[in-house]
Amino acid sequence: IDDVFYEEIEEILVMGDIGINTTTSIIEHLKEEVEEKKIKEPSECKQLLIDEIKRQMDVGDTAYEFENRKSVVLVIGVNGVGKTTSVGKLAGKLKDQGKKVIVAAADTYRAHRAGVDLIGGQAGADPAAIVYDAVAAAKARNADVLLCDTAGRLHNKKNLMEELRKIYRVLEREYPDAYLETLVVLDGTT
């Protein structure tokens, strides 16, 4: 275990999009562990490295409050990154936890296999109106989580960003007692 070993790990982590600050922290902690435990063989570092990466990824108990209280989750991101797929997976996960889930298809009407209630509109319907209807359904059906699947957002498309602001206003006005969480879906290359 020498500087070349640590440089190789650093290069692998950076190439894997871990990020330079996190990579530096992981390497520093790994060096401390190796010294403290008097490890001599690189192969013995594998589990230490895995444990440290897991520790870096741990965001604590408050990571996703929406799982534990009446919530609205607004899912945003650019076209094609997997928003609808993520909403479907999240809906299935929450349903498996025994939660009552409603999905608002606020710009897309693709079937979800999650087996949860889906509120949508006709093609070209106002997304904020769909969210409004979904909020009414969530209240009436005493849903635990309302997942709002939105259209692909591009920061340079003023009308899309204004539409998103309109959805936020509807949620804040019509469902103020629900916890509002926004999830941004990024694709793997990002």
Side-chain angles (χ1 to χ4, degrees), residues 52-68:
E52 180 57 21
I53 291 171
K54 284 181 181 177
R55 193 183 71 74
Q56 289 284 332
M57 294 173 68
D58 184 16
V59 288
D61 295 337
T62 60
Y64 299 111
E65 264 187 75
F66 70 83
E67 290 186 89
N68 303 313

Side-chain angles (χ1 to χ4, degrees), residues 70 98-104 109 115-120 130 132-146 175:
K70 192 169 293 292
K99 306 267 192 264
K100 173 89 171 139
V101 180
I102 293 180
V103 172
Y109 198 93
V116 300
D117 294 346
L118 183 67
I119 309 296
I130 294 168
Y132 180 89
D133 292 345
V135 165
K139 288 176 175 178
R141 300 173 197 176
N142 197 27
D144 296 304
V145 181
L146 169 60
Y175 213 5

